[in-house]
Amino acid sequence: MCKKFLVIALLFLSRLLYAQQSDNEDGTYTNPVIWADFPDNDVIRVGDTYYMVTTTMYFFPGVPVLKSKDLVNWEYAANVVPQFKQHPFYDLKGGSRYGRGQWASSIRYHNGKFHILFMTLDEGGFLCTATKAEGPWEIRKLPRPYYDAGLFFDDNGRIYIAHGYSKISITEVDANLAPISPDSIVFDKVQRPGLEGSHVYKINGYYYIYATYGGGDGYQVCLRSRNIYGPYEEKVVLKDDMNLSGKGIHQGALIETPEGEWWSIIFQDRAGVGRVPTLQPAHWVDGWPILGENGRAVVTYKKPTAAVSPVRVLPTSDEFNRDQLAVQWAWNHNPDDGAWSLTKRKGYLRLTTGSIAADLPHARNSLTQRIFGPFSDATTALDISQMKEGDVTGLAVLQMPHAFIGVRAGAHEKFIVMELAGNTVDSVAIGKRSMIFFKASVNTVKDQAHFYYSFDNKTFIPLGDTLNMQFDLKMFTGNRFALFNYATTQTGGYVDLDWFRMDTRQGPPNLFKASSPIQAEMYDEIYQAHVRPGGDVDGPKEQDVANWVDGSWIRFNQVDFEDGYKHLLLRLAPGMGRITVYADGDSLNPYATVTIPEQTGKAYSTVGTPVKPLTGKHRLTFKFTGTAASALRLNWFSFTNSSQQAYVSAPLISHIYTADPSAHLFNGKIYIYPSHDTATKTAESDNGDHFQMADYHILSMDSIGGKVTDHGVGLRAADIPWVSRQLWAPDAAFSQGTYYLYFPAKDKQGVFRIGVATSKQPEGPFVAEKNPVAGTYSIDPAVFRDDDGSFYLYFGGIWGGQLQNWNNNRYDAAAKLRTKEEAAILPRVAKLSPGMKTLAHAPAEIKITDSSGNLFREKDNDKRFFEAAWMHKYQGKYYFSYSTGDTHNIAYAIGDNPYGPFKYQGIILKPVEGWTNHHSIVQIGDRWYLFYHDTQLSGKTHLRNVKVMEMKYNSDGTIQPMSAFSGTN
C-alpha cells in the first residue's frame, strides 16, 4: 500500500482492525468474553477498574495484563515481560521451551503496588512489580518456585502463598516472597489427581482457596476454613461444559464489584483456539460461591450492575506504519532484535534471516498473535524480492501440527508452497513476481484452517490440504497466526511485510441470521437439556443438544428474520414427543409446533413446518414436551422461504463450495470430482459468467455417511497451458494404472473445449495435457466404461455451454438458439481411443425420443436435454440421464446401445434450490446412490454444496422419482 494514502486506507479498513466482541449492546454479554487463548486467569479490582493476567508460556513480550471497567469489555494495559533471558532455550538456541515457560500467574495489589507472581517449570519463581498496571514493570527471580501460586496479603499484615498440585500447601513468606515457614499441606483429600490453580481470598472471616481439577474436562471447587492452615472443607462450585461437550469450565478468579456483586472470570478449553475466558455470576449459598445459574454455566447473561463501558474489542490488524509493534504481537520465544525492523523501510516490517533453522518451529523471529473465534481470516502482503536461496517465508498457523502457506526460494526460481506438519503438500511457481499475498482462514468451531495465495489481493486461490487444528500439550498454547522468514542455507536475506489484517466476527455475538443453519449448541440459555457429541456429521466438535426431558428448553435471544421467512427447518434425530417454539415473551401462544418423527429409517432427518413470517430480530425458545426421556438430538435449525419444507440430505462438506459431483468407486473407496465454486463479483447471467471456478478439489469417503476428506487442489486452471478461465463440471476414469480427469474450460479464444489430465492416484494431483482433446467442444464431460472395457465420452451443454454453436462438429460463433418448434439440440458422444486422450471417431448426436420414438422439440423443455450428461448401466440396459436445465429436472432415458437412441422415462430428481441441477449415479455394494448439489449453505446460485441420497429402482427397471426435500416425492 502506498503510505500517503494511509488515512484513507485506515478509514476503509476500520471494520477489520479489531477482534470479536462479547458485549451484546443491550445490557447483556455472551461467553466467552474473549474468544481467544487467555488462560489461567487471575483478576483483581483496584478502584473501579479490573485487571486480568494470563499465561503466555514462551511468547514474548509476554505476561499480558488487560483492564476493564465492566468485566466484559477488555483492553490491553501492558505486556509485563518484554523478553525472558533466563536460559538460551528461550532464544531457540540448543532447544526450546515449548510446553513450558511462564504460566499460572497470580496478580494482587498491595500498598500501592501491583504484584504478579509466576513460575516456570525449569527456571523457578519470579515476581513482577509496578505502581501502575501500564508499567514500567520490574522483574526479579525468587529464591524458590511455587507451583500454580496464589499470592495472598492477609489483613493482619502477613503474606502467604497457596500452591501445589493434588496436594495444596500454604507457605508464609516475607516481603520479598522468600519462605519464612515450611510448606504446610492443608488439603490432600482430592476427588481425583490434579487439583491446582489456587487463589486465596478472605471473605466474612473465612479463608477460601479457589482451585480447579484441571484437564479438558476440568471443574471448579472451593476450599473453606476459618484458619489459613485449615482444616479445609471442599465444595464443587461449577461442573459444566457450556456449549462444548466434554470441555469443562475451570481455573479462574473471584471478583467483587463495587456494588457487592460477585463474579468469576474462569476459562474453558476450546481445543484448537486454546483456553478462553468466560464470565460467570457467583451466588453465595450457605457461605459458598456457587457459579452460573441453576448449576449450569451461563452463555448469555446480564452484565454486572451499574457497569457502564463502551464496547471495546482487542486489536488484531497492523499496517506496520509505527516505530513499534502493536501490543497484540508476540514473538515465538525471544526475538533477535538485530534481525527485524520497522524503520529500515518505512511502513513495512522487515524480517531478516539471522540464523539457520531446520523448520518453522525452530525459526527465530516468528511474529505471532492469537486467533479469535468463531473464525479468523488473516491476510498479509509480502515483498519477497530480497530473499536468498534456501529462505522460507510466509503465513502460518502455529501449534502441533503446524501449517503454512509461503514462499521457498530456490537457486533459480521461487515457489509458493503449502506445508502441513513439516511436509510440503503442494507448490506453485511464482515467476518474476516480487509481491505476494497470503491468506489463512480459520474456523475455530470446526478447528480447521485453509490457506490461499493471490497475486493481486483480489482473487485468492486455495492451495494444499486442510489443517485440522489441535491443542497439543507439547506446546500448551492455542493455535496462533505467525509471520515468519527463516533461512535453511545462508543468512542475510529479508522480506518486507506491508501489512497484516485480520477479519473476525463483528457485532453482537448472539445475533444469528434466521436463514443460516443455527447450531443448537450455540444457545443463549439452556434448561435440563445437555450438549453432546454430534452424530449427524463427523467431526470432534460437531455437537447436538440431547438428553431432552419433559420441559427442557433452549433459547436464542437474537434471531434476525430480516424481511421474513415462511418455513422453519429442524435437523434432528428421531424421538418421541414434540418441540414447541415460542417467540419473544409469549409463552402461551406457540409460534410453531413440530412433531418429532419416531421412525424415519435415518439417523437424522430435516423436519419442516410453515410459520407466520416475522421481520426483524426476535427471541426464540425451543421447548420439548414428552412423557419420557427422548432419543431426540437437535443439531440445527434454520428458516427459508422455499415452498419445500425440509432438505433430505446434508451437505457433504461446508468449508468450501462444491457442485457438479462426479462420483466413482476406486479401490473400494468413494471419490467425488466436483466443481469448486468461489465468490465472484461477476454479474449473474444466463451464460454462466458468474461461475468463475479456477481449480478442482477432490473429495473421498470410505462409505456413504462416513467422514469426507478434502484432498485439496487436484488441478488448477493456472497450470493448464491452453485454458483461459472457467473450470466447469469434470469427470474421472481409471484405465491401465492411470487415473484420468476430464474437464471443460474456455480456451484463449473463449471457446469451451474438453481437456484431460492424468495422475497415478485417484486424489491427484493431476497433470494436464498441453492441448484440449482434439474434436471435443462444449461442457460437462462424462466418461462411461462399458462391460467390454470400452470407454465413451458424453458431453454438451446449451447456452453458456455453447452447444448451440456446434453443428456437424463445426463451430459457428454467430449461431443462435433454436426456436420452440425446431428439433431440440442433442448431446454428443464419442468412443475414446485406448490411450484415453483422443477420440476414436468424430462426436455423434445422441437421440432422445418420447414413447413413440419422436425426437423432442425445443419447447419440450421439461424433457429435452440441456446439460449434465451421465451414463450408467443397470440390468443390461443403458441409462442416459441429464438435466433439463431451464426447468431444473434430472431426467433419464433408457436404450440398448451406448450410442442410443434412448427413450425418455421420466424424472429422477425434482428441482433443487438454486438455478442449476447436476448429478452422477454410482453403485456401491448392492445399493445405488445419486450425487447432486443445491444451494442450502449459501442461498446463492453460484455457491453450491454437494449432497448424496439413495436411489431405488422399480421392478420394471424404472427409477423411483426423488426429491431433495422431505414429504415432496
Side-chain angles (χ1 to χ4, degrees):
M1 177 188 295
C2 183
K3 300 301 174 177
K4 69 181 181 180
F5 296 121
L6 178 62
V7 174
I8 297 174
L10 287 175
L11 290 172
F12 177 74
L13 291 167
S14 60
R15 74 177 188 90
L16 302 179
L17 292 177
Y18 299 98
Q20 54 80 226
Q21 69 184 63
S22 59
D23 195 321
N24 291 315
E25 303 178 43
D26 62 356
T28 69
Y29 67 94
T30 293
N31 279 315
V33 287
I34 308 175
W35 200 332
D37 190 44
F38 289 88
D40 303 333
N41 315 111
D42 196 14
V43 182
I44 60 172
R45 176 175 60 85
V46 180
D48 64 351
T49 304
Y50 304 94
Y51 296 93
M52 174 167 61
V53 65
T54 71
T55 291
T56 48
M57 290 286 193
Y58 41 84
F59 291 111
F60 296 100
V63 195
V65 173
L66 292 85
K67 60 183 179 181
S68 172
K69 293 293 186 180
D70 61 1
L71 294 172
V72 173
N73 295 283
W74 293 89
E75 58 186 312
Y76 288 104
N79 286 305
V80 172
V81 181
Q83 296 190 31
F84 200 65
K85 291 293 188 179
Q86 301 297 320
H87 195 281
F89 283 8
Y90 286 97
D91 293 330
L92 287 175
K93 293 180 178 179
S96 72
R97 280 294 185 244
Y98 288 122
R100 305 178 83 81
Q102 171 271 335
W103 63 3
S105 300
S106 175
I107 184 171
R108 289 295 181 265
Y109 185 77
H110 182 66
N111 287 341
K113 186 177 290 189
F114 289 90
H115 300 72
I116 292 178
L117 171 63
F118 69 84
M119 67 160 287
T120 74
L121 288 178
D122 302 283
E123 289 77 36
F126 296 84
L127 177 66
C128 303
T129 55
T131 56
K132 295 190 300 181
E134 292 77 11
W137 287 83
E138 296 180 0
I139 182 172
R140 60 184 175 86
K141 194 175 187 302
L142 300 178
R144 58 159 291 186
Y146 304 93
Y147 183 91
D148 271 20
L151 177 61
F152 174 62
F153 295 93
D154 206 344
D155 52 17
N156 60 7
R158 303 174 80 169
I159 308 171
Y160 301 94
I161 295 175
H163 57 100
Y165 180 85
S166 292
K167 296 180 179 181
I168 304 302
S169 295
I170 293 290
T171 303
E172 186 174 0
V173 296
D174 63 17
N176 295 316
L177 303 194
I180 58 175
S181 76
D183 296 346
S184 297
I185 297 175
V186 297
F187 191 82
D188 60 0
K189 297 177 181 179
V190 294
Q191 300 176 27
R192 70 180 194 189
L195 185 63
E196 59 183 348
S198 299
H199 296 300
V200 184
Y201 306 90
K202 192 174 185 180
I203 304 167
N204 296 329
Y206 276 102
Y207 292 92
Y208 291 89
I209 300 177
Y210 196 56
T212 185
Y213 285 95
D217 61 345
Y219 56 96
Q220 193 71 10
V221 299
C222 205
L223 310 178
R224 183 178 71 176
S225 175
R226 289 287 187 181
N227 189 294
I228 187 69
Y229 291 106
Y232 282 87
E233 53 184 329
E234 180 187 32
K235 188 174 185 63
V236 175
V237 296
L238 183 63
K239 191 173 186 178
D240 190 41
D241 52 5
M242 176 196 81
N243 286 128
L244 189 57
S245 178
K247 298 297 184 182
I249 296 176
H250 60 104
Q251 192 151 344
L254 285 171
I255 316 103
E256 185 182 17
T257 70
E259 293 72 34
E261 295 178 351
W262 284 86
W263 296 81
S264 181
I265 291 282
I266 186 168
F267 76 72
Q268 181 182 34
D269 291 83
R270 287 287 179 101
V273 75
R275 297 170 291 170
V276 302
T278 80
L279 176 61
Q280 301 295 330
H283 305 286
W284 288 93
V285 180
D286 297 327
W288 295 100
I290 306 301
L291 304 189
E293 289 285 342
N294 301 313
R296 306 294 300 274
V298 302
V299 180
T300 295
Y301 198 71
K302 60 185 179 182
K303 293 169 61 176
T305 302
V308 178
S309 176
V311 173
R312 295 186 184 278
V313 286
L314 298 176
T316 55
S317 300
D318 197 345
E319 298 295 311
F320 301 127
N321 57 4
R322 295 176 293 178
D323 291 341
Q324 61 184 10
L325 287 168
V327 68
Q328 72 269 18
W329 290 110
W331 301 97
N332 179 19
H333 291 68
N334 291 329
D336 175 359
D337 285 329
W340 70 275
S341 173
L342 286 165
T343 58
K344 288 185 177 179
R345 184 179 179 186
K346 192 66 175 178
Y348 291 79
L349 168 64
R350 176 164 294 181
L351 296 179
T352 303
T353 60
S355 58
I356 304 297
D359 54 23
L360 176 61
H362 295 92
R364 297 197 70 182
N365 285 14
S366 295
L367 186 62
T368 78
Q369 65 169 285
R370 297 166 182 84
I371 290 169
F372 285 80
F375 70 87
S376 289
D377 290 339
T379 312
T380 190
L382 299 91
D383 182 339
I384 58 174
S385 60
Q386 300 303 312
M387 295 178 69
K388 290 187 175 183
E389 180 183 353
D391 289 358
V392 185
T393 188
L395 171 63
V397 173
L398 182 64
Q399 229 277 349
M400 293 183 68
H402 72 273
F404 69 75
I405 188 165
V407 174
R408 187 180 296 274
H412 305 290
E413 192 170 9
K414 296 185 181 78
F415 293 87
I416 298 173
V417 294
M418 189 274 168
E419 186 174 293
L420 177 59
N423 299 310
T424 300
V425 176
D426 204 351
S427 64
V428 179
I430 297 177
K432 300 298 183 181
R433 294 180 176 89
S434 61
M435 286 297 298
I436 189 77
F437 303 87
F438 291 133
K439 177 180 178 181
S441 182
V442 174
N443 183 319
T444 74
V445 176
K446 294 185 176 182
D447 274 341
Q448 292 184 331
H450 301 90
F451 298 85
Y452 307 81
Y453 69 91
S454 174
F455 297 124
D456 59 7
N457 197 30
K458 296 177 182 178
T459 301
F460 281 85
I461 302 168
L463 190 71
D465 291 345
T466 300
L467 168 65
N468 293 307
M469 299 190 305
Q470 307 291 321
F471 185 90
D472 194 298
L473 296 182
K474 292 178 182 178
M475 293 192 80
F476 226 131
T477 56
N479 283 261
R480 288 188 174 217
F481 290 124
L483 302 172
F484 64 90
N485 182 39
Y486 67 90
T488 62
T489 58
Q490 58 183 318
T491 61
Y494 64 85
V495 295
D496 289 332
L497 293 102
D498 192 0
W499 44 258
F500 174 92
R501 298 167 187 161
M502 190 193 300
D503 191 9
T504 70
R505 183 188 60 193
Q506 307 295 310
N510 69 342
L511 178 61
F512 297 95
K513 284 192 175 182
S515 57
S516 64
I518 301 173
Q519 302 299 322
E521 74 271 15
M522 300 306 292
Y523 60 82
D524 287 310
E525 299 173 64
I526 191 169
Y527 178 69
Q528 293 185 311
H530 290 270
V531 174
R532 290 290 181 266
D536 190 23
V537 180
D538 186 48
K541 293 173 77 172
E542 294 295 336
Q543 306 280 292
D544 295 337
V545 173
N547 291 84
W548 296 86
V549 297
D550 188 55
S552 300
W553 53 262
I554 57 174
R555 179 170 294 147
F556 299 81
N557 286 344
Q558 291 196 80
V559 178
D560 188 359
F561 285 81
E562 300 173 293
D563 294 329
Y565 297 95
K566 299 177 182 178
H567 295 270
L568 165 65
L569 306 178
L570 296 169
R571 183 71 177 175
L572 44 80
M576 296 178 63
R578 67 179 184 271
I579 293 177
T580 304
V581 185
Y582 297 94
D584 302 316
D586 190 347
S587 60
L588 299 176
N589 301 295
Y591 175 64
T593 300
V594 175
T595 300
I596 301 165
E598 294 185 28
Q599 297 294 332
T600 64
K602 301 176 181 179
Y604 289 76
S605 60
T606 308
V607 178
T609 186
V611 293
K612 180 181 178 181
L614 296 173
T615 58
K617 300 179 181 67
H618 295 271
R619 185 178 73 180
L620 295 182
T621 302
F622 294 75
K623 186 176 182 179
F624 171 75
T625 304
T627 57
S630 175
L632 166 68
R633 300 170 70 97
L634 179 59
N635 188 260
W636 55 259
F637 70 92
S638 186
F639 289 84
T640 178
N641 273 326
S642 170
S643 60
Q644 315 293 348
Q645 292 190 6
Y647 292 99
V648 170
S649 302
L652 293 185
I653 60 172
S654 59
H655 67 276
I656 59 173
Y657 293 109
T658 51
D660 312 323
S662 292
H664 293 273
L665 196 65
F666 292 139
N667 304 322
K669 194 171 186 176
I670 305 163
Y671 286 86
I672 306 154
Y673 301 85
S675 302
H676 177 199
D677 286 350
T678 56
T680 176
K681 295 182 180 180
T682 304
E684 184 172 330
S685 71
D686 288 340
N687 285 327
D689 295 329
H690 51 303
F691 294 105
Q692 291 288 339
M693 295 84 99
D695 59 39
Y696 296 115
H697 277 237
I698 297 159
L699 314 177
S700 72
M701 53 185 176
D702 292 327
S703 61
I704 298 296
K707 180 180 179 180
V708 180
T709 298
D710 178 357
H711 294 281
V713 175
L715 180 67
R716 59 174 57 84
D719 296 334
I720 309 171
W722 62 269
V723 167
S724 65
R725 64 188 184 278
Q726 292 180 297
L727 292 184
W728 285 8
D731 193 20
F734 174 73
S735 177
Q736 298 181 350
T738 300
Y739 295 89
Y740 296 85
L741 183 68
Y742 297 86
F743 58 91
K746 283 183 177 176
D747 63 16
K748 305 300 185 182
Q749 288 72 46
V751 177
F752 267 113
R753 306 282 185 176
I754 295 172
V756 62
T758 57
S759 176
K760 290 300 181 181
Q761 296 84 32
E763 67 272 18
F766 286 85
V767 177
E769 296 295 302
K770 294 182 179 180
N771 297 296
V773 178
T776 63
Y777 47 86
S778 195
I779 61 170
D780 293 358
V783 181
F784 168 69
R785 183 187 187 277
D786 208 347
D787 298 335
D788 63 358
S790 300
F791 287 88
Y792 298 86
L793 180 69
Y794 299 83
F795 60 91
I798 304 171
W799 290 3
Q802 303 175 342
L803 188 59
Q804 68 273 9
N805 297 103
W806 293 87
N807 291 300
N808 297 319
N809 296 321
R810 294 182 178 178
Y811 181 72
D812 179 4
K816 297 181 180 179
L817 293 169
R818 297 180 185 181
T819 65
K820 292 183 178 181
E821 296 300 326
E822 288 184 287
I825 298 172
L826 298 174
R828 308 293 200 265
V829 63
K831 191 174 184 178
L832 285 168
S833 301
M836 303 292 286
K837 297 180 180 179
T838 59
L839 303 182
H841 57 76
E845 292 184 331
I846 304 170
K847 294 182 178 180
I848 306 172
T849 71
D850 61 18
S851 58
S852 300
N854 300 313
L855 292 173
F856 290 120
R857 290 178 289 177
E858 279 294 309
K859 67 180 182 181
D860 299 316
N861 61 356
D862 60 337
K863 298 176 181 178
R864 52 118 169 112
F865 174 84
F866 186 92
E867 63 182 359
W870 187 262
M871 175 66 72
H872 76 279
K873 202 170 184 179
Y874 179 73
Q875 294 185 348
K877 296 288 187 179
Y878 296 88
Y879 286 66
F880 181 76
S881 48
Y882 55 92
S883 172
T884 59
D886 46 355
T887 50
H888 318 319
N889 294 319
I890 294 295
Y892 75 108
I894 298 178
D896 297 314
N897 189 289
Y899 290 101
F902 298 94
K903 186 173 292 186
Y904 178 84
Q905 299 295 317
I907 295 172
I908 299 176
L909 182 66
K910 296 177 182 179
V912 298
E913 288 293 318
W915 191 89
T916 63
N917 210 341
H918 205 110
H919 74 295
S920 58
I921 297 169
V922 63
Q923 183 180 11
I924 301 171
D926 60 354
R927 296 185 175 185
W928 288 83
Y929 292 90
L930 178 79
F931 288 78
Y932 64 103
H933 68 232
D934 61 25
T935 61
Q936 177 183 345
L937 290 178
S938 73
K940 298 179 180 179
T941 299
H942 66 289
L943 298 175
R944 298 159 291 178
N945 45 259
V946 169
K947 297 183 172 183
V948 63
M949 58 181 163
E950 188 173 358
M951 188 184 80
K952 296 184 178 180
Y953 295 89
N954 296 311
S955 58
D956 62 356
T958 56
I959 298 172
Q960 295 180 11
M962 305 165 68
S963 173
F965 307 92
S966 64
T968 57
N969 285 349

